[in-house]
Amino acid sequence: MAAAYFENGETAEATFELFVRNFPKDRSYLIAAGLEQAVDYLKRLRFRDEHIKYLRRDPNFKNVSSRFFRYLKKLKFTGDVWALPEGTVFFTNEPVLRVTAPIIEAQIVETYLLSMINFQTLIATKATRVVQSARGRGVVEFGGRRAHGPQAALLAARASYIGGCIGTSNVLAGYRFDIPTYGTMAHSYVMNYDSEQEAFERFAKVFPSNPALLLDTYDTIESAKKAVSMKVAPSLVRLDSGDRYDLSVKVRQILDDAGFKATKIFVSGDLNEFVLDDLTSRGAPIDEFGVGTELVTSRDDPALQAIYKIVSTKRNARVTYRVKTSEGKRTTPGAKQVYRKYSETGEIQEDIIALEDEEPPRATEPLLTKVLDHGKLVHNLPTLSVIRERAMKDVARLPASYKALKGSEEPPTKLSRKLEELSESLWGNPNRKD
């Protein structure tokens, strides 16, 4: 497409918006995530010599002029970007990201932006559900080895922290993003020694202030008894299999009877929001959870369907609105802003999607903020801890029905009158000019 635009002398400025058309299964809200990586990509976008050599060899480009490849060598992103701050609760059909740039620049970044925003938003949203079900117990992201590759594991750890997890088992994520890291021991560590007791004692010798012991390699109850026979009290014990409710009750009793009341019980192994909801609603004496596969893959619905569509073009100072009109996939035209209204009790009451140049509705706050101006960062992006706080605050302001684990509510959104009228006129006449 970039080559076709270039060879046809296309110089239009285009505005694209990235939004989610449908909620994943059993969701009624989403958490915006991935903006930091998207902005970093846009700032660094370049075609190096080896990239251009590769493209020249591609037979699909055999009729493309050398001028296009010289253009690519100088290409960088020079457009404007408006976005929802990371950690913001949003709903379907609301722009998460808005890009206005020369058409080639705006078009060529589509795949990266979708990939980054899709994945991290999906996982951050899943994390909020898991954290909600923990009812105040800590949740650690534990899924690095089950993610779809090391890069996915890294970004899943970041997104999970945004969604409310207290930390990760991924040390690289801790290093890159300053996320607290957590770890215990693996079954292989215990199995390496001739006895479970020897494994525990050797581990505690290296970590005398905070030994974390895995109890279920052989027999969980007998293992708990060995743990309390040690001179050093374990900081926590981990249960990774079996009936976690029953075992947590029995292990807690063993720990308490031995005077190890400060020792925490940490549970992992095939957990999700529904399992946690069951355990915590029954009052299981579990202090923290390690949630892996189900979290980092959003296993119940593993692909968010965000899309990136052109909403207007500008040639010679004249704007043409663009819409898609195919059945079930209609889009709304023009660069937009989202205005949020809260109830008297502070809950999210309504979002109004309006054209960016409209007068803001009364008693609302705009959600999209300018991030890049002509390719330059407008202000420093917030730290991950600030993003996490925003997500937790926004989720807390959702009405209870939107946080239900089953079912999906209709989004509390509406189009402004001007946008609604413009949309309806264009769905019958897709090439209206302003």
Side-chain angles (χ1 to χ4, degrees), residues 68-261:
F68 173 67
F69 297 106
R70 290 196 295 270
Y71 165 81
L72 286 185
K73 190 171 183 178
K74 297 178 181 179
L75 178 71
K76 62 179 181 179
F77 184 78
T78 63
D80 297 343
V81 173
W82 290 70
L84 296 178
E86 288 192 90
T88 301
V89 159
F90 71 97
F91 305 98
T92 53
N93 295 309
E94 296 182 335
V96 183
L97 196 75
R98 188 175 84 220
V99 175
T100 299
I103 184 68
I104 293 178
E105 295 175 29
Q107 187 81 72
I108 210 166
V109 301
E110 175 178 2
T111 297
Y112 189 95
L113 295 180
L114 281 171
S115 175
M116 188 57 66
I117 302 297
N118 256 324
F119 180 66
Q120 289 204 56
T121 295
L122 179 71
I123 304 306
T125 305
K126 178 72 170 183
T128 64
R129 290 164 58 83
V130 174
V131 169
Q132 171 187 310
S133 294
R135 290 184 170 85
R137 284 87 160 175
V139 176
V140 178
E141 181 277 307
F142 237 49
R145 64 187 64 180
R146 299 291 171 79
H148 297 156
Q151 177 71 354
L154 189 65
L155 295 175
R158 181 183 187 273
S160 296
Y161 190 65
I162 289 173
C165 288
I166 62 173
T168 178
S169 62
N170 189 322
V171 180
L172 180 58
Y175 169 73
R176 289 273 187 90
F177 304 126
D178 197 27
I179 301 172
T181 54
Y182 292 76
T184 58
M185 59 173 62
H187 295 290
S188 55
Y189 181 88
V190 177
M191 294 164 68
N192 179 63
Y193 294 97
D194 292 336
S195 72
E196 202 169 34
Q197 189 78 36
E198 182 186 5
F200 289 171
E201 290 174 352
R202 286 179 178 267
F203 195 81
K205 182 179 179 181
V206 180
F207 301 99
S209 62
N210 60 339
L213 308 179
L214 178 59
L215 300 187
D216 71 318
T217 304
Y218 305 116
D219 182 289
T220 301
I221 300 303
E222 289 303 313
S223 182
K225 293 176 182 177
K226 293 172 186 173
V228 299
S229 70
M230 296 170 55
K231 294 180 180 179
V232 177
S235 59
L236 67 80
V237 293
R238 178 158 73 98
L239 312 178
D240 192 53
S241 59
D243 183 334
R244 268 68 63 91
Y245 179 84
D246 181 63
L247 289 172
S248 67
V249 170
K250 291 176 179 177
V251 169
R252 182 75 268 164
Q253 189 65 53
I254 292 170
L255 292 170
D256 289 350
D257 287 348
F260 290 3
K261 295 182 182 295

Side-chain angles (χ1 to χ4, degrees), residues 38 44 135 142 167 209 218 254 314 323 327 345 347 382 391 393 396 401 426:
R44 295 171 180 268
R135 290 184 170 85
F142 237 49
S209 62
Y218 305 116
I254 292 170
K314 185 177 181 181
V323 293
E327 184 177 355
T345 59
E347 288 188 337
K393 179 181 177 181
S401 61
L426 284 169

Side-chain angles (χ1 to χ4, degrees), residues 32 46 65 155 221 282 286 325 349 384 397-398 407 414:
R46 298 292 187 277
S65 70
L155 295 175
I221 300 303
R282 293 162 63 194
I286 298 168
T325 61
Q349 181 177 359
L384 201 58
R397 299 179 85 169
L398 280 165
K414 72 175 185 180

